[in-house]
Amino acid sequence: MASVAQYLTTLAGASGANAEALRAAAQMQIELKSGDPRNAITVCMQLVQNDKPIEARHFGYGVLQFIVNKRFGEFSDAEKHALASLCYDKLREVGNGVTIGVTLGVCTPQSANQTTPEPFLLKSKVATLMAHVVRQQGAKTWQALVPDLANGAASENPGVAEISALTMRYVAEDVAVHNADILGGRMKELLFGLTSTLPQTLPALYRSLEIHFAAAVRCASSGDAAGGKARAGAVVAALGAAATYCEWAPLAPLFRSGLLDACGHFLSSSEFRGQACEVLRHVAHRRRGDVVNAALDARGGGESDEPGEPGGNDAADAQCVVDGFAKMCHSIGVAVAQVLAVPVPEHGSEEREYVVRLTETAAAVATNHLHVVPDSALRASFLEALLGLTKYPTLGTLGPAVAAWPGLLRNAGAELPNGFTRPEKASIGSGLFGFQGKDGDASSRKSPSDVPPEGSKKTVIPPECVVALLETSLVWLRAGGGLAAGLQTTRYMDTQAETWDEEFESREELRETWVVLRARLMEVTKLCTFLNPNAAVTCASLVVQQTCASVQPGGALHSNQNNRLSDPNLRSEADDAAGCAFEGATSFVEPVMLALPFSGSGNESFAGSGNAVIGQVMPSLNESLRTAIAVEIATPVGVSHASKLLEALGRSCLANPVNGTNTLNRLFEILGRLPSDDALTPPARASAALMAGRTAQAARQRVCAAVLGVCTAAPQVFNPHLQGFATQVESLRVSGCLSGGERGALAEALLAVAGPSGPARVREVLSWLLSSVRDRWVLSPGSVSPDVAVLASFSELVKGNNGDGAAGLSKKHWELFHDIQLTERCLRRSGGEHDFGEVAGTPAGDAQKTDTVSVPHGIARAVDPPPPPEECPASDHLEWALTLSEAVCGVTHKAWSPRAVAEACATNTGIERCLEMSPDEQAAHLIHGPAKAFALSGGGLAPETQTASSTRSWLRGLRDSAYAVTALLAIHAPASFYASDAVASSVSRAVHCDLAHARDRHARALLHTVVRPILGRCPAAHRQRWHAALTTGLVPHMHERLAAAWDRGRKNSQNDENPFASDMDGEDLSFAAAALAGGGAAAVAELVADRVTRDLTRDHCAFLELLAAPEGTFGRKTKGSGLTGHLRHLSGNSTSQDGSQSQNETVSPFEKLAHGGGRHVLGWMAA
């Protein structure tokens, strides 16, 4: 063991950043921590004496913290008590400061009574040490310590006050916040100790703020900088402790202590307002508690989770809390007025950070507590302040401000059309989304007649506030026009993107942030439209008129280039500016149109006088649509976003059918005028096509999507014109003006229009659309064209365009690609939006049962019994579509077989790169950080050929569409699908074909998109057939695959060699370490493989859960058995109609739980 002198010498060298001395100091620390703890304490007590250098004292306190925190149990009770006393003595010593003579090394009579404050580094260390002692010793030590700490916090000595407040804070943090390692009775004891001392600690903190804030003001006015700094340290420490207590302490004592009133006062202090706002923010996010809510409910002023008769103390606490929140609203309102009265501070400044924190606090108060404030004038002024923060021109404040408004608007009675309705609390069970009734009884859920009447809702939004909020949303949406679409905003006069750029590292980061905020603003616009439809339509009409006028001759965005069509991919700053204007306008008009109570739209029930409202707004809507139709703009980007505006306004055809035909005719006119030179180009999302420079393709896709949107919104309006609609689509196809993707969108539109006429009409349209696909690729029942296998061979793929193709592949390749995608899109629309497994939340065939569980939308349920084939138009196409799907699965799976890989490599063209993930695909599996940025920049690989890139997209598109076709046939033709042995055999062959050679990402796609949906919807009578077809071979294979994948992933990370380890964590750290070891490409591949393995594991576990509980558990636990959901009857427990439990006498308790409810699995496995 080294001597104290040796420690001092080594630490002195380490302070000079000497590498050798640093290693020696680290080794000494390890020896002290791992050696005899009593000897370590002796050494450390000498090192922490106030005449030693600060490096030695910091070192000593660090070792003492470790000994107390990790090795305290090695001491006897007497030693523990002595150690606690030593730590407390050091706490008082550091708080009182160092005698100046000791600091100078010479003690004189003049300096004997003068002290200098200890640095915060040591105060924090010794306060943390004392907190560790309290945590180890328990509540009695804390209760004995509190009187001294309370006196110290209220002391005139700023050093003593600061260290006392720090100790209070760290003890509270250790016990009530960072308490994951405190278990059982000790947690209860410590929490009781903290709570029981609140009458002492909270007033002491308030007294500390009162004394030292006033003293700091006096020091500032007298020019005493050193004294002011010491006083400010005490105030900051008290505010930090208050923030910690505000995370868990009951609200009534907090408000009574005066701490929150003091923090409200500090919002006017530029030095302390940030910390004070943090205290208020913690309180704003707190629940009021059931006791306070019950008292408020009893007096008619709030909501209660468990209403009851409150006592006198409860009523007093409730009144104290309400008064406290009223004072908080006033203080925050004053602070907001001060912020809005000064210019916007620079990005990154403390002032800007304070504005964001203040906005978060105001938003939390408005969301959680404003409705309990009884003063309506105060509520209105607070909402005005929140509205001012919503208008504040920074995205950092817009996020929290706009997030508060949906709850406030709903509280005022607004509802989103076709939105999720939260169930009553009495009906919430323990399952997914709390959706099913208690104990799995759907009858326990309240009926619509039990919902409180409309008049019982709390109205807190003044009418004029709704109008102002609509105008504010419009300003923001226009300011961000074009950002979500990735357009250039340089020429757009309303943009704020150039100003916002300084807040973000890149335009892409800004775009991602704006997309989220834009969705919030659109939600607010919908809710405001519900409350004031006339004002919303007025704003929408104004923005349509202004936008259309700006792109016409004489407008600010007009350019002669708007009339040029010589370049099909023409794109200029002026064209992007027009697109920005239309995108900003559409972002406002679309939610307004969706929220209007049109008859037949599904949301007319939200407004009692829907017809009257529509009658009032239709003249404005008709005029807006005429203006939008009359706009002449021909360049692709402008056309893309103008068509979106037409789609939004076209919804008015629900009230005026003429608007629908006019809109559709205009869209087809625009589509016919757009260049179609790249019709053979493979389909891509419009945004991807735009970024790739194919603006004409992006425009055609968006126009076709607009046609689909209009037809889907009002199919009954266009149903009488179905024949003319089909003729128009056919003429465009014959003339070569449509690509495969556009043909699919229009085919979906035709099926949407045919839907209201019933299955017979849908069957007719479906046959007309798919007959050409069937005739081209399926020669006879069960036999596909040999061209499918030929086209998928690498010897054919390497030929590229082959003279008649595009984008690196031949015309024949793209025909197969488009045809299988057309089949998928048509089958998806063949049943409309209807899923036979989800009928009003009740499994098919169980509509009359009262013991069924209501299932959240989107979760697969058994279709039992399935609807007859005559109600399923997709049944007519089951045989040939499944034949084609099986063939496509076979040829795409074989592309990764060793023989095919060798064939690809033998071509020496680089086409084998198509078998690996593209950089974009890799980036999709990564989170934001260096690894994702590296992948997006190319992943450290050489550029690949266009043929290799297109081949990858071609194989992936074929495989995904084939999987989707198989799953869609199970959804839309269940009777014919599940009852057929031939269908089960065909699906089994498609699933297992070359499965051993598939990559993990392919196996995951197969499991997620085919196997789980098919088995999840399988009727009980056919499960044995489908288990034999799918799970018998798949389960063992998946176990082997996952075992191998996890075995590959086990490796030891060597982070010691990573120079970035101190600045990164998680995925970034793994990437940096792997990049140093084996290159960036290998590092990215390793991270992606790990992510895919985890995703595959989750899907396989969900698949196993489906086997164990075929009816679904939906997260609900069965009382008593420890099993979940429908496993109740498998465990021997059954529920009678009266809710009583009956026990199966023939099953022992052990046997009930022996198989985890999976007896049926063992049964079919044994069979």
Side-chain angles (χ1 to χ4, degrees):
M1 177 67 67
S3 65
V4 174
Q6 290 175 316
Y7 280 112
L8 292 174
T9 303
T10 302
L11 292 172
S15 65
N18 183 297
E20 198 66 34
L22 285 172
R23 280 193 289 270
Q27 184 61 35
M28 284 182 168
Q29 190 178 54
I30 293 173
E31 291 176 358
L32 275 177
K33 289 181 178 180
S34 58
D36 182 9
R38 295 165 184 82
N39 187 39
I41 290 174
T42 302
V43 172
C44 289
M45 282 300 174
Q46 297 180 58
L47 291 175
V48 299
Q49 291 177 4
N50 57 16
D51 60 340
K52 298 297 188 293
I54 189 172
E55 298 84 7
R57 301 177 70 189
H58 181 270
F59 177 90
Y61 280 125
V63 174
L64 285 174
Q65 286 180 15
F66 178 85
I67 297 297
V68 171
N69 200 29
K70 301 295 184 182
R71 306 187 67 180
F72 202 71
E74 300 179 25
F75 298 104
S76 65
D77 291 342
E79 289 172 326
K80 290 178 182 178
H81 182 74
L83 180 56
S85 298
L86 284 173
C87 293
Y88 180 63
D89 291 340
K90 287 298 175 184
L91 182 75
R92 291 194 302 175
E93 179 184 299
V94 172
N96 286 321
V98 184
T99 302
I100 292 179
V102 174
T103 306
L104 299 176
V106 178
C107 188
T108 65
Q110 291 78 15
S111 64
N113 295 323
Q114 299 180 28
T115 59
T116 182
E118 293 276 21
F120 178 79
L121 179 68
L122 294 181
K123 292 178 184 176
S124 176
K125 276 286 185 180
V126 73
T128 304
L129 174 63
M130 196 67 233
H132 288 330
V133 170
V134 171
R135 182 178 175 134
Q136 296 292 342
Q137 288 286 76
K140 290 184 178 179
T141 299
W142 172 245
Q143 290 169 334
L145 184 63
V146 163
D148 287 344
L149 291 178
N151 291 333
S155 169
E156 292 284 350
N157 185 330
V160 173
E162 181 180 7
I163 203 166
S164 298
L166 287 174
T167 306
M168 291 179 180
R169 172 185 175 180
Y170 296 153
V171 170
E173 282 182 349
D174 277 358
V175 174
V177 182
H178 310 303
N179 53 14
D181 58 337
I182 305 178
L183 303 175
R186 173 161 288 273
M187 168 67 77
K188 184 177 181 181
E189 175 198 355
L190 288 169
L191 285 175
F192 172 77
L194 279 178
T195 306
S196 64
T197 55
L198 286 178
Q200 296 167 275
T201 54
L202 296 181
L205 291 174
Y206 174 79
R207 181 61 179 159
S208 181
L209 291 175
E210 184 180 38
I211 293 173
H212 297 289
F213 177 74
V217 172
R218 290 194 300 270
C219 290
S221 61
S222 63
D224 183 4
K229 182 179 179 181
R231 300 291 183 174
V235 173
V236 170
L239 288 173
T244 301
Y245 275 88
C246 285
E247 291 190 59
W248 60 270
L251 290 179
L254 283 172
F255 279 114
R256 285 197 181 99
S257 69
L259 277 174
L260 301 179
D261 293 341
C263 290
H265 175 73
F266 287 169
L267 293 179
S268 301
S269 168
S270 59
E271 187 174 3
F272 304 114
R273 61 185 184 180
Q275 296 89 340
C277 188
E278 185 68 14
V279 176
L280 298 179
R281 189 175 68 86
H282 284 305
V283 175
H285 285 285
R286 293 275 305 277
R287 292 179 66 247
R288 289 181 302 280
D290 292 341
V291 173
V292 173
N293 281 341
L296 292 174
D297 186 67
R299 75 172 198 183
E303 41 187 23
S304 171
D305 295 329
E306 297 179 7
E309 189 65 31
N313 291 335
D314 295 345
D317 287 348
Q319 186 60 47
C320 177
V321 170
V322 170
D323 292 343
F325 278 120
K327 294 177 183 177
M328 188 186 297
C329 289
H330 176 75
S331 300
I332 293 173
V334 172
V336 170
Q338 294 172 347
V339 165
L340 298 179
V342 298
V344 177
E346 294 183 1
H347 173 66
S349 64
E350 291 185 5
E351 291 79 5
R352 177 75 73 87
E353 181 63 29
Y354 165 69
V355 176
V356 174
R357 194 173 299 177
L358 179 64
T359 305
E360 293 173 350
T361 305
V365 170
T367 302
N368 300 326
H369 308 293
L370 184 62
H371 63 275
V372 302
V373 175
D375 187 347
S376 59
L378 179 59
R379 291 200 305 265
S381 64
F382 189 84
L383 289 175
E384 185 178 355
L386 182 61
L387 184 61
L389 291 172
T390 309
K391 297 177 181 179
Y392 200 76
T394 64
L395 295 186
T397 54
L398 175 63
V402 76
W405 286 108
L408 292 170
L409 292 166
R410 287 190 178 93
N411 203 33
E415 292 288 349
L416 286 177
N418 301 317
F420 172 73
T421 302
R422 188 175 300 278
E424 291 299 307
K425 292 178 181 179
S427 67
I428 294 179
S430 60
L432 187 62
F433 308 131
F435 197 89
Q436 71 277 1
K438 288 184 178 179
D439 299 327
D441 186 0
S443 63
S444 68
R445 292 177 21 247
K446 290 189 178 182
S447 65
S449 61
D450 296 327
V451 177
E454 194 72 20
S456 65
K457 294 182 178 178
K458 299 174 290 295
T459 303
V460 297
I461 305 288
E464 58 273 14
C465 183
V466 175
V467 177
L469 195 54
L470 278 168
E471 295 171 351
T472 303
S473 297
L474 175 57
V475 170
W476 276 108
L477 290 169
R478 296 186 74 178
L483 270 180
L487 302 179
Q488 300 178 43
T489 58
T490 309
R491 289 279 302 274
Y492 178 43
M493 65 281 189
D494 291 330
T495 186
Q496 292 294 324
E498 313 303 324
T499 305
W500 299 338
D501 274 336
E502 67 180 20
E503 302 181 32
F504 300 89
E505 294 183 0
S506 65
R507 177 56 71 95
E508 179 61 23
E509 185 181 352
L510 169 59
R511 190 191 71 83
E512 292 179 358
T513 302
W514 172 250
V515 166
V516 177
L517 296 176
R518 175 174 171 264
R520 282 286 194 183
L521 288 166
M522 294 173 73
E523 180 186 9
V524 169
T525 303
K526 284 183 184 179
L527 293 167
C528 289
T529 302
F530 181 95
L531 295 176
N532 195 335
N534 290 293
V537 171
T538 299
C539 290
S541 300
L542 177 63
V543 71
V544 170
Q545 299 292 336
Q546 292 176 346
T547 302
C548 293
S550 68
V551 299
Q552 293 305 290
L557 300 179
H558 176 67
S559 172
N560 292 331
Q561 293 181 351
N562 284 341
N563 297 320
R564 289 173 52 193
L565 292 176
S566 57
D567 184 357
N569 290 318
L570 175 67
R571 182 178 177 185
S572 64
E573 288 186 354
D575 188 27
D576 272 23
C580 290
F582 279 112
E583 198 264 351
T586 304
S587 298
F588 183 81
V589 173
E590 182 181 346
V592 170
M593 297 299 296
L594 287 173
L596 288 174
F598 290 110
S599 176
S601 64
N603 61 319
E604 61 270 20
S605 61
F606 287 95
S609 56
N611 292 333
V613 169
I614 294 301
Q616 294 170 8
V617 301
M618 276 310 296
S620 297
L621 293 179
N622 292 336
E623 181 61 29
S624 297
L625 183 60
R626 284 193 293 269
T627 303
I629 288 176
V631 169
E632 289 295 335
I633 183 169
T635 50
V637 174
V639 164
S640 295
H641 296 283
S643 64
K644 287 287 292 179
L645 181 61
L646 285 172
E647 176 188 351
L649 291 170
R651 191 176 177 84
S652 62
C653 68
L654 287 165
N656 184 4
V658 175
N659 287 352
T661 55
N662 291 341
T663 302
L664 218 54
N665 289 335
R666 178 58 174 162
L667 289 171
F668 276 115
E669 180 186 349
I670 293 172
L671 187 61
R673 291 169 52 188
L674 283 170
S676 57
D677 300 347
D678 56 352
L680 283 178
T681 305
R685 289 185 177 180
S687 58
L690 186 66
M691 295 303 173
R694 301 195 298 270
T695 53
Q697 181 191 21
R700 288 200 312 273
Q701 286 188 12
R702 280 185 168 146
V703 172
C704 291
V707 172
L708 175 59
V710 173
C711 294
T712 304
Q716 67 276 15
V717 172
F718 300 103
N719 190 266
H721 310 288
L722 180 61
Q723 188 62 46
F725 185 12
T727 302
Q728 213 163 6
V729 173
E730 181 64 15
S731 65
L732 288 171
R733 187 191 68 82
V734 172
S735 62
C737 294
L738 296 178
S739 70
E742 295 147 20
R743 181 169 51 126
L746 295 179
E748 284 194 67
L750 283 169
L751 287 168
V753 171
S757 297
R761 191 66 178 272
V762 174
R763 179 175 274 106
E764 179 185 344
V765 175
L766 195 63
S767 177
W768 176 67
L769 290 170
L770 293 179
S771 58
S772 60
V773 179
R774 181 192 59 219
D775 296 342
R776 186 180 294 118
W777 301 109
V778 182
L779 304 179
S780 61
S783 175
V784 298
S785 169
D787 290 345
V788 175
V790 173
L791 291 172
S793 65
F794 283 105
S795 59
E796 191 70 20
L797 288 166
V798 295
K799 294 179 181 178
N801 292 357
N802 203 18
D804 62 348
L809 291 178
S810 69
K811 181 179 179 180
K812 196 74 172 177
H813 281 98
W814 293 124
E815 284 182 352
L816 175 60
F817 184 91
H818 292 313
D819 282 347
I820 190 69
Q821 285 205 336
L822 177 66
T823 304
E824 175 196 347
R825 298 182 76 160
C826 289
L827 290 176
R828 194 178 300 279
R829 284 281 177 180
S830 65
E833 299 298 330
H834 178 59
D835 183 345
F836 295 112
E838 299 169 359
V839 182
T842 305
D846 287 348
Q848 302 303 319
K849 296 181 181 180
T850 61
D851 59 347
T852 58
V853 176
S854 182
V855 184
H857 177 75
I859 294 181
R861 283 298 304 267
V863 187
D864 200 1
E870 54 269 18
E871 294 182 11
C872 306
S875 298
D876 297 351
H877 307 272
L878 174 64
E879 184 178 353
W880 73 264
L882 204 57
T883 299
L884 179 59
S885 176
E886 179 187 348
V888 169
C889 287
V891 298
T892 53
H893 289 180
K894 286 179 181 177
W896 279 266
S897 65
R899 181 176 178 180
V901 172
E903 180 186 356
C905 294
T907 62
N908 295 321
T909 60
I911 197 173
E912 66 274 8
R913 288 275 298 277
C914 74
L915 301 176
E916 305 300 329
M917 299 175 74
S918 69
D920 287 343
E921 289 175 320
Q922 288 181 325
H925 288 83
L926 302 172
I927 61 175
H928 282 292
K932 185 167 187 174
F934 180 80
L936 290 173
S937 65
L941 302 174
E944 61 186 5
T945 64
Q946 186 182 38
T947 296
S949 177
S950 294
T951 299
R952 179 190 297 110
S953 300
W954 188 79
L955 288 171
R956 184 180 66 246
L958 287 183
R959 183 187 65 244
D960 292 349
S961 291
Y963 289 171
V965 165
T966 304
L968 288 168
L969 289 170
I971 294 172
H972 295 300
S976 304
F977 185 89
Y978 286 109
S980 171
D981 289 326
V983 169
S985 299
S986 177
V987 174
S988 178
R989 290 192 298 269
V991 167
H992 291 94
C993 178
D994 277 298
L995 184 60
H997 303 130
R999 305 291 171 88
D1000 285 351
R1001 63 183 186 274
H1002 303 154
R1004 192 244 171 174
L1006 185 69
L1007 197 64
H1008 187 80
T1009 59
V1010 179
V1011 178
R1012 284 178 56 195
I1014 288 177
L1015 291 179
R1017 289 179 168 84
C1018 182
H1022 304 301
R1023 281 185 189 136
Q1024 189 164 353
R1025 172 188 296 114
W1026 284 94
H1027 281 313
L1030 294 179
T1031 60
T1032 304
L1034 190 61
V1035 171
H1037 170 81
M1038 291 304 302
H1039 281 303
E1040 293 178 7
R1041 177 182 290 272
L1042 286 171
W1046 283 107
D1047 187 59
R1048 288 193 304 269
R1050 291 191 186 97
K1051 61 183 185 300
N1052 294 323
S1053 300
Q1054 301 296 328
N1055 292 333
D1056 294 340
E1057 299 181 7
N1058 178 18
F1060 310 107
S1062 61
D1063 299 323
M1064 295 184 296
D1065 58 350
E1067 192 172 277
D1068 294 350
L1069 187 61
S1070 301
F1071 170 72
L1076 289 174
V1084 168
E1086 191 173 307
L1087 289 174
V1088 170
D1090 178 73
R1091 183 64 56 84
V1092 171
T1093 298
R1094 294 175 188 277
D1095 291 342
L1096 178 60
T1097 303
R1098 277 191 289 269
D1099 271 294
H1100 183 56
C1101 290
F1103 173 50
L1104 294 178
E1105 182 184 10
L1106 185 62
L1107 299 182
E1111 301 295 340
T1113 64
F1114 308 115
R1116 181 166 51 83
K1117 290 191 175 182
T1118 303
K1119 293 181 178 179
S1121 69
L1123 304 178
T1124 56
H1126 293 272
L1127 298 183
R1128 180 188 304 165
H1129 66 279
L1130 297 172
S1131 66
N1133 295 331
S1134 60
T1135 305
S1136 62
Q1137 293 295 328
D1138 61 357
S1140 60
Q1141 296 287 330
S1142 62
Q1143 190 72 24
N1144 188 340
E1145 299 293 341
T1146 63
V1147 181
S1148 67
F1150 173 78
E1151 201 174 355
K1152 286 183 229 168
L1153 304 177
H1155 304 293
R1159 292 182 181 281
H1160 63 289
V1161 181
L1162 299 178
W1164 65 256
M1165 288 178 69

